[in-house]
Amino acid sequence: AEPGGPIWRLREELAWLGEATGPTRDLDVWCLTLDEELRGGSPLAEALGALRQVIEVRRRAAHRELVETLDSPRLRELLAGWAGAASTQPREPDPGRLAAPVGLVAAQLVSRAYRRVLRRGRSIGADSPDEALHDLRKAAKRLRYVLESFESLCPAQVTDRVVSELKALQEVLGGFQDCAVQARSLAQLGTELGDGEPPGALIGIGYLVAGLESRRAQARRDFARRFARFERPATQALVASVVSGLASPPRSKAASRRRG
């Protein structure tokens, strides 16, 4: 999107809306998590109950702010801009510029996205920062988007196997990212607790953070095994088959997508 143009502004406003909804969503998740811990008969039920009270107060405040955001002129302008962009007629293509066949473009996108995933994954070592795995997660998400966007041009049995391997990698990366983000948010909450907060809340935070760090470390170990599978020759051969099929699709390709 051109900087300053309508699509660029729409993207910026959607990012703002995502940030505005984040706090309420995160606090909702923590309330559900704590409720589950309390139902399970945790030995730290008193501390977790105190933490639940702290989070509930913040959740209600965040919800009030979200309601104000959803009723703001800025959001109404965003929705109007979205409707306007959706109804805008596309410009007539320049007859002097011939577009490449869609299959060839798709092949280039898949190949480029897969190489990016391999490059970033291979650069991750035991001492790599969390951001490296987060960047790999984003690269894997882009690859999956491309594969699923053009899946009608490829044999289902080939594309599905690649996407299956990719989903397994994304699951590990997503679990790692969730644990890292949640641990940081809880640690930040711990620094914000004041003298008037329910006693024991800080103990509850420590308990949850310890569990998250344990799961995060396990996800880090699982990543090495899962990525090794994703970059193995068999998976690379599957991706090469997808790219080859996209670059030179047979005429009967649509029929090959029919299932059952």
Side-chain angles (χ1 to χ4, degrees), residues 100-138:
V102 64
L104 183 58
V105 174
Q108 294 171 346
L109 291 173
V110 170
S111 180
R112 188 181 306 129
Y114 183 62
R115 290 198 306 271
R116 184 182 297 115
V117 170
L118 291 182
R119 183 171 63 253
R120 293 189 176 180
R122 288 167 175 167
S123 68
I124 294 176
D127 298 327
S128 297
D130 292 353
E131 289 74 15
L133 280 87
H134 182 51
D135 289 342
L136 175 60
R137 183 190 182 193
K138 292 189 291 186

Side-chain angles (χ1 to χ4, degrees), residues 89-102:
Q89 295 295 324
R91 293 181 300 177
E92 291 294 328
D94 183 354
R97 299 177 62 184
L98 296 177
V102 64

